[in-house]
Amino acid sequence: MNYTLHQLQIFLKVAQTQSITKAAEELHLTQPAVSIQLKNFQSQFDIPLIETIGRKIYITAFGKEVAQASEAILEQVHAINYRTAEYKGQLFGRLKISVVSTGKYIMPYFLSDFLNANQSVELAMDVTNKRDVIASLYNNEVDFALVSVLPSKMDIEKMDLLKNKLHLVGNTSRTFGTETTIDIFKDLPLIFREEGSGTRQTMAEFLARNEITHIKKMELTSNEAVKQAIISGMGYSVMPLIGIKNELFNHDLQIIPVKGLPITTMWSLIWMKGKKHSPVATAYLNYISANKENIINNRFSWYEQF
């Protein structure tokens, strides 16, 4: 047998997600690349590792044993790398962060310099909706989570990073006044994010709090899908400013001034209270504490224009 560590990593991720598509997304690979490596890995075994029934993947009993062995092997490799870096006096380990989908426009700027300064630190960042982010934090699968709406029933600690401003947004085909009342919502077809989204929760709470009767046009499962629907003229939505920078500067979208908006929440890095951080996680918290203001000033100066 001549399988590689890369193949072990790919098979383990497919086994964990039971999906080639999800495995490719989490490993930042293309689906064809994952499929090819999976096929090459399977070719070294006479017993099937995976069964495909319809469009769903199932891991065989033998495949589950191979996945467990793969995880153990990769953990040992990680330990060897850790000890090597430790002897060199380097910070080494894995930083695991779960980020709500819109947070992908923020988190990289709070990570890049830290990772560049610590080349032996490996980042595992999962971008998903708020429901799954909170679940991964609760299950102790990650070091930190980035959210804009704090979980109400969890004992957490937090570090605030950046204000989250949510505006009513539309395309540029229609002209609006300098400020309108919230009654405008009654006449606009609204596009919502999916259930479990922090943006959806904030938007729904605003509408309910102001007793706004509205027209629900559609529900979409990503910030990008909502943007494209708005640009095409399919409707309007309350969106985080952080995710529409390019579209505003390119005049594909406009902020519609409404009394009572923007809604302001806070992007916060959170972790379970009492969690014993790894050396990498501790170093990252110290880095953010010392450099947060510089990152905001250098990376988000445009934010105050809106």
Side-chain angles (χ1 to χ4, degrees), residues 12 19 34 42 52 61 67 79 90 97 114 122 136 141 161 163 172 174 176-177 185 192 198 201 284 286 301:
L12 177 60
S19 166
V34 170
Q42 173 65 82
T52 304
Q90 299 173 351
I97 302 177
F114 175 79
E122 176 187 346
S136 66
E141 296 169 353
L161 299 185
K163 286 183 180 179
T172 53
R174 178 177 168 184
F176 294 86
F185 279 94
F192 284 73
Q201 179 182 340
Y284 180 64
N286 292 337
S301 58

Side-chain angles (χ1 to χ4, degrees), residues 29-277:
L29 297 171
T30 64
Q31 290 185 41
V34 170
S35 296
I36 290 170
Q37 291 300 322
L38 192 60
K39 182 179 179 181
N40 292 339
F41 186 63
Q42 173 65 82
S43 69
Q44 300 180 68
F45 299 91
D46 295 328
I47 304 171
L49 302 172
I50 291 174
E51 292 179 339
T52 304
I53 302 176
R55 300 180 66 180
K56 187 170 177 59
I57 285 177
Y58 296 89
I59 310 302
T60 65
F62 178 65
K64 291 177 181 178
E65 291 187 22
V66 173
Q68 290 176 353
S70 299
E71 186 172 20
I73 292 168
L74 291 169
E75 286 178 354
Q76 289 301 313
V77 170
H78 188 70
I80 292 170
N81 292 338
Y82 174 84
R83 296 299 295 171
T84 302
E86 192 176 49
Y87 272 104
K88 293 180 178 180
Q90 299 173 351
L91 183 66
F92 183 92
R94 182 176 296 176
L95 183 64
K96 295 179 286 186
I97 302 177
S98 189
V99 178
V100 295
S101 56
T102 309
K104 65 176 176 276
Y105 301 107
I106 295 174
M107 203 66 234
Y109 297 106
F110 286 93
L111 284 165
S112 58
D113 288 345
F114 175 79
L115 295 175
N116 288 334
N118 298 281
Q119 295 288 327
S120 295
V121 171
E122 176 187 346
L123 173 67
M125 187 170 79
D126 182 33
V127 180
T128 184
N129 69 23
K130 182 194 171 190
R131 180 187 298 154
D132 292 339
V133 167
I134 298 305
S136 66
L137 191 70
Y138 180 80
N139 294 326
N140 201 33
E141 296 169 353
V142 295
D143 298 304
F144 306 108
L146 180 71
V147 296
S148 61
V149 179
L150 297 176
S152 59
K153 297 181 180 179
M154 290 175 62
D155 201 4
I156 60 166
E157 297 182 71
K158 69 183 180 75
M159 182 181 292
D160 293 337
L161 299 185
L162 183 72
K163 286 183 180 179
N164 182 34
K165 303 177 183 178
L166 295 98
H167 293 268
L168 178 62
V169 176
N171 68 11
T172 53
S173 63
R174 178 177 168 184
T175 301
F176 294 86
T178 55
E179 185 176 68
T180 60
T181 67
I182 57 176
D183 288 338
I184 193 174
F185 279 94
K186 298 176 181 179
D187 303 319
L188 300 179
L190 297 182
I191 302 172
F192 284 73
R193 283 288 305 276
E194 79 284 4
E195 290 284 355
S197 158
T199 299
R200 163 69 173 260
Q201 179 182 340
T202 302
M203 179 176 173
E205 287 175 354
F206 172 79
L207 295 172
R209 185 168 59 251
N210 290 280
E211 299 180 343
I212 298 171
T213 302
H214 58 276
I215 306 167
K216 181 179 177 182
K217 183 71 173 179
M218 66 185 70
E219 181 176 301
L220 300 174
T221 58
S222 75
N223 195 65
E224 291 299 320
V226 172
K227 282 197 295 188
Q228 294 307 315
I230 296 172
I231 291 171
S232 70
M234 297 174 72
Y236 299 78
S237 191
V238 173
M239 298 194 71
L241 175 61
I242 196 67
I244 57 175
K245 173 186 175 183
N246 292 337
E247 290 76 16
L248 289 174
F249 283 114
N250 293 336
H251 303 291
D252 294 320
L253 294 176
Q254 65 170 319
I255 289 173
I256 302 165
V258 177
K259 188 175 181 180
L261 291 179
I263 306 165
T264 301
T265 60
M266 180 66 70
W267 288 107
S268 300
L269 198 67
I270 65 174
W271 59 94
M272 296 298 291
K273 190 171 184 179
K275 181 175 177 61
K276 295 180 179 179
H277 291 302

